[in-house]
Structures are given as structure tokens and as C-alpha cells.
Amino acid sequence: KFGNIALAAALLVANAAHADNNGFVAVKDSHFERNGQRYMIAGANFWYGGYLGAPTGVGQRARLVKELDRMKALGINNVRVLAVSEKTAMKSAVSPATTSAPGQYDEQLLQGLDFMMAELAKRDMTAVLYLNNFWQWSGGMTQYLNWFTGSPAHDPNVSKDYERYMAENATFYTNARAQAEYRNVITKIVQRTNTVTKKPYRDDPTILSWQLANEPRPGNSKSTPQEKATYVKWIADTAHYIRSLDGHHMVSTGSEGLAGSAQDAQLYLDAHRTPDIAYLTYHLWPTNWGWFDPKKPDATWNGMMEKASHYLNVHVDYAKKLGKPIVLEEFGLNRDGGSFDIKASTKVRDRFYDEVFTTLEKRAAAGDPVAGWNFWAWGGAGRAANADYWWKPGNDFVGDPPQEEQGLYSVFDSDASSLKLIADHDKRLKTIGAK
Ligand SMILES: O=C1NC[C@H](CO)[C@@H](O)[C@@H]1O
């Protein structure tokens, strides 16, 4: 009789553990949950984390360990990371790259991702891994098209013609050979076994979600109904494909929200309706979007904050509509005066961060589906190497990828006021979530 009771108890415990998803972050009642507790992302963007983890070449494992310790100490529990890059002739892209040509992958950089994942697990941190890029700084969709159509990979930093660049990139979604190679890469990474932990990625709760791409857009500002329908289908089909390989992990889009959806709310909602997309993402870029001029802060602050506050709130409302969590997985502002110099103050940026954090905390405290944030981006101990602030192969990696001045939006380890603000709000967010 006693044996039966013990067996029943053991089964109960096992079931409870299973119900808690064994450490995986999952959606429950339009929030994230992990091991039966509410999980809020108090995160950072750290696109180069896998690069620092490489065993040779660009790898700087001692720096990676130090950066993760710094982030952990501040209460940062999640990093959003570029999982794979494509070798390209485009001027403002990172090198080396994971994929040097279709089917040829750099095992050193993939082992870098392995090492980073192992170090995150040690610190009970999670990662969002994006598997492609709509922009040029890691090769991305442009480079896939160059491989399979021969179209010149024209760098919009050089051509300055973003409208053309975005329209061309959107043909990625319907290029069968590009999609086939993209799915080969997805398969390779999702089915990879971590060479450090020996654990298959799909069994690793350190991954919070697989992300289709960084900032995928349907086309340019004049996206046609056909392009929009193609975009929604590409998201649904690709998310479904990833879920067919890995039923444990959530899948996310990497969308910027309305700014990355041709300002079409219906498109943004449709893109996130499929059950294979677990939560909504959005990004907030006041300077990039022309809402703020860092050289005229007093004249542009009020108008900017009005637009930013609306943007923050309306996307939480969209998430409520879909009954899914939402993560502000990128936001940033310039150093004072628009300076790239690490010695420049960050008063305006700190005020902006505080407004963003406070707005989201308010919505979270009201029970809305705010699941957290990732500021853009962790610069840590990295330093700009050149007088013109542009990145060259061999230079430090900082929060700003190679297509932007190294110091534009990075939060460095010497930005004490910013780091304290981030730490205070990370703590506050997690207490709200704990209720
Ligand atoms: O994903 C992105 N969003 C905005 C960042 C800052 O401009 C940019 O570096 C990156 O491409």
C-alpha cells in the first residue's frame, strides 16, 4: 500500500515538473511563464555575443564571460543575439560570417554560439536568437538574393536608397532557392547539438525563442497588398517549419511593429495571428524615424515623447487584442548632442530610457501583456577603434553593428547613470511580474 502512495507521489512530482516545462519559457494567459512563475524579460541586445564566444579568430571568451557577469549583476536576464551571418561584399557588414556560401558554414562561429549559450545557462540567463537579418550589417536577406539571383548586394549605407533596398529585399520571401537555403540554415542551427554542453539546442531551455529575422519588413513604405500577403504567409510558414523541428521553443518574428509593417495595423496583427508565433515584438527608434533630433533636444523632445508614448501603448493594445505577450525588444537614443564619443554625457538618453521603462511598468502593473524589454544595445567594455567611429575587421565589437558609428546607441560599461537606471528598472519590472 505504502509503495503505491510513493509511486503516486512520484508521478505527481513528475507531472508538475512537466507542466512547468522543465525550465522552458512558455506563454500562459498572455504572459510568459517559467517553472510555474511569471517570467519578465529584463534584457539587452547583444548581437555579437556568439562572435565573442568563438574559440579562435574573433573570439574573446574572457571578454564574453566578463560582459555576461556585468549584465547578470545588473539584473539583466536575457540577451537578443544574431545567431547566423552571411559573408557579403557589402561595405558595412560584419566579417567573418557564419555562412561563406550556400552550404558552407563556419564551425568556429557556430562553436561561439555554443559557448555563449553554455555561459548563459550557467547564469540562468536566456537568449532570443535571430536567424536572419532584413538589414545589410550581417549579410542577411540581401546576401541570400545575391547568391541565388546574382543581384548586386547594394549597401544602402552607400546607395542611400533605402526604399529600393527594402523593396528588393522583400523578394527574398518568394525566392524558392533562397528560402531553401534559409531553411537549411534554420535546420542546421535548430537541430544542432551544443559542442560545449553536449545538449541539443532544441532541448535547451536557455533559448527563449527562435526569431525569424532581425526587423523583417514586407517591403518598403509603399508595400503592395500582394507583398503584405506574401509577408504574412512567409511568417506563418517559416514559424510552422521551425515548430515542426522543435516543439519546445517559442518562435517570434523580430518585427518592429507598425514602423516595420508599412504603418498597417491590420498587417501587424495578421503577421502575429498564427499560433506558431508565440508573442509579439516591437522596436522603438525615435531618431531613426525622424521623431527626434539629438542636436535639437529641447525643440524635439515633447513631440518625440508624445509619439513614443503612443507607440509604446498602442502596441500593448494590439497584443491584448491577440491575447499574446509583447516584448519591446529594441529601443535606443543617441548620446547627448548626437555624439559618438564615449566621454559624451547621456542625460537625454537616460530620461528617454526612464520614460520607456516607466510606461511599460505601468501597463504591466495594470495586468496588460507586457512581457519585458531589451535595450539596444550592450557595448560593455568594447571601444570604438577609429577616429571616424566606423568599424573595421579586427576592431572591438560594440552594441552598434558595423553599419552604424561605434558609439551611436551603445551603452558602455562606463555609462554609470544608464547602467544604474537599467538595473533599477529591471528589478522593478521583475517585482511587478512576480505578483
Ligand atoms: O535592428 C536594428 N534596429 C535599429 C538599430 C539602430 O539603428 C540597428 O543597428 C539595427 O539594424
Side-chain angles (χ1 to χ4, degrees):
K1 188 164 175 302
F2 180 71
N4 286 343
I5 293 169
L7 178 63
L11 282 173
L12 266 177
V13 167
N15 276 330
H18 182 71
D20 287 347
N21 274 320
N22 298 326
F24 286 87
V25 182
V27 174
K28 182 138 188 292
D29 303 331
S30 77
H31 294 288
F32 286 156
E33 202 171 81
R34 187 186 199 198
N35 296 328
Q37 302 292 319
R38 174 75 68 82
Y39 188 87
M40 298 292 250
I41 293 183
N45 275 276
F46 190 43
W47 69 269
Y48 55 97
Y51 274 76
L52 293 185
T56 60
V58 288
Q60 290 181 292
R61 289 183 165 183
R63 181 185 165 197
L64 176 59
V65 166
K66 190 176 118 183
E67 301 289 16
L68 294 178
D69 285 341
R70 286 297 306 275
M71 285 188 239
K72 176 75 179 174
L74 292 164
I76 293 168
N77 64 4
N78 171 274
V79 286
R80 180 169 172 263
V81 179
L82 176 75
V84 60
S85 51
E86 293 73 32
K87 185 177 179 182
T88 182
M90 286 188 283
K91 186 167 165 292
S92 50
V94 65
S95 65
T98 318
T99 307
S100 51
Q104 291 169 35
Y105 310 112
D106 180 339
E107 185 56 25
Q108 296 295 302
L109 287 177
L110 290 172
Q111 286 180 22
L113 206 60
D114 295 344
F115 183 84
M116 181 198 71
M117 293 307 298
E119 290 301 314
L120 288 171
K122 288 180 190 170
R123 295 165 178 81
D124 193 29
M125 295 169 80
T126 58
V128 171
L129 300 177
Y130 44 99
L131 296 158
N132 205 328
N133 198 344
F134 189 75
W135 306 114
Q136 82 278 30
W137 54 265
S138 60
M141 296 177 188
T142 318
Q143 188 47 49
Y144 277 92
L145 289 167
N146 173 257
W147 284 329
F148 296 108
T149 70
S151 59
H154 85 265
D155 185 339
N157 256 10
V158 176
S159 69
K160 304 295 178 207
D161 188 347
Y162 275 88
E163 283 293 292
R164 175 184 149 215
Y165 176 84
M166 293 188 281
E168 281 176 355
N169 261 9
T171 64
F172 168 75
Y173 305 126
T174 51
N175 184 297
R177 294 173 67 210
Q179 290 303 307
E181 172 56 17
Y182 171 54
R183 289 201 176 188
N184 290 342
V185 170
I186 289 173
T187 307
K188 183 170 182 65
I189 293 182
V190 173
Q191 295 193 326
R192 182 174 175 82
T193 294
N194 188 309
T195 54
V196 176
T197 62
K198 312 300 178 208
K199 179 179 279 196
Y201 273 55
R202 67 177 170 283
D203 297 337
D204 186 355
T206 312
I207 296 166
L208 183 132
S209 79
W210 295 111
Q211 189 161 95
L212 303 187
N214 177 52
E215 302 201 332
R217 293 192 176 190
N220 63 21
S221 57
K222 300 177 192 61
S223 296
T224 64
Q226 178 54 50
E227 283 176 324
K228 291 177 180 178
T230 297
Y231 176 71
V232 170
K233 185 174 184 314
W234 172 76
I235 288 174
D237 291 351
T238 311
H240 191 71
Y241 178 68
I242 294 173
R243 291 287 296 172
S244 74
L245 299 175
D246 172 355
H248 275 145
H249 290 106
M250 299 190 287
V251 179
S252 56
T253 60
S255 171
E256 301 155 90
L258 290 184
S261 309
Q263 304 301 336
D264 179 340
Q266 192 55 52
L267 173 62
Y268 179 65
L269 288 165
D270 291 345
H272 292 84
R273 221 179 281 283
T274 169
D276 291 320
I277 291 292
Y279 64 94
L280 287 75
T281 65
Y282 68 135
H283 303 180
L284 176 58
W285 288 108
T287 304
N288 293 1
W289 299 344
W291 298 354
F292 182 68
D293 180 347
K295 296 191 186 311
K296 298 176 189 154
D298 297 342
T300 57
W301 172 268
N302 290 339
M304 180 275 280
M305 258 334 290
E306 202 177 311
K307 290 189 180 89
S309 177
H310 173 73
Y311 200 83
L312 288 168
N313 282 298
V314 77
H315 285 82
V316 175
D317 297 340
Y318 293 143
K320 271 180 100 166
K321 207 170 190 161
L322 293 183
K324 296 185 180 182
I326 186 164
V327 180
L328 178 70
E329 58 169 24
E330 283 189 21
F331 64 94
L333 205 71
N334 314 71
R335 305 184 79 85
D336 291 343
S339 173
F340 311 127
D341 187 338
I342 195 168
K343 294 191 290 301
S345 55
T346 60
K347 284 186 180 51
V348 178
R349 181 177 78 183
D350 290 351
R351 196 176 155 206
F352 173 66
Y353 271 45
D354 197 39
E355 295 273 357
V356 169
F357 290 141
T358 305
T359 303
L360 293 180
E361 284 155 5
K362 231 178 256 167
R363 293 299 301 265
D368 290 324
V370 167
W373 56 60
N374 297 73
F375 66 88
W376 181 283
W378 184 263
R383 293 295 182 266
N386 307 307
D388 65 1
Y389 293 98
W390 287 102
W391 183 84
K392 291 189 177 69
N395 290 162
D396 272 2
F397 293 117
V398 300
D400 307 293
Q403 94 289 6
E404 286 167 326
E405 290 86 354
Q406 305 292 284
L408 180 67
Y409 294 125
S410 288
V411 177
F412 293 105
D413 58 6
S414 53
D415 291 338
S417 61
S418 303
L419 296 176
K420 176 157 183 354
L421 192 77
I422 289 162
D424 291 348
H425 281 284
D426 283 354
K427 191 163 175 238
R428 200 171 307 165
L429 180 71
K430 288 184 270 188
T431 49
I432 292 169
K435 286 189 184 98

